[in-house]
Amino acid sequence: MEARWIMDRRCDALSEIVVVSRGERYYDVRAMTQLEIDAFLEDLVRAEFAQLEAAKYPDN
């Protein structure tokens, strides 16, 4: 699995978090600080919310 491959690769991470998953997608976040990871997660959630809203109101 992609997440396991990322976690098994030796690389220094800037935080304890090395992989973020959202749905079936995995993101390598080892080069991000905790603040960058938080902002990235917020962006992912906003994008997902926008997709859900667009699906609810396809004519807008």
Side-chain angles (χ1 to χ4, degrees):
M1 175 161 248
E2 185 179 354
R4 175 57 42 203
W5 179 81
I6 292 169
M7 289 185 289
D8 287 344
R9 289 183 53 210
R10 180 158 174 89
C11 180
D12 293 332
L14 298 178
S15 74
E16 293 182 12
I17 301 170
V18 296
V19 174
V20 169
S21 67
R22 193 80 181 153
E24 294 183 15
R25 304 230 20 205
Y26 294 88
Y27 303 92
D28 181 347
V29 296
R30 290 175 290 184
M32 294 181 185
T33 65
Q34 186 61 53
L35 288 175
E36 291 170 324
I37 293 169
D38 292 343
F40 179 67
L41 290 173
E42 289 172 5
D43 288 344
L44 289 176
V45 170
R46 273 192 291 276
E48 184 176 301
F49 180 76
Q51 286 179 332
L52 291 172
E53 288 298 299
K56 283 175 32 179
Y57 307 105
D59 294 334
N60 290 341

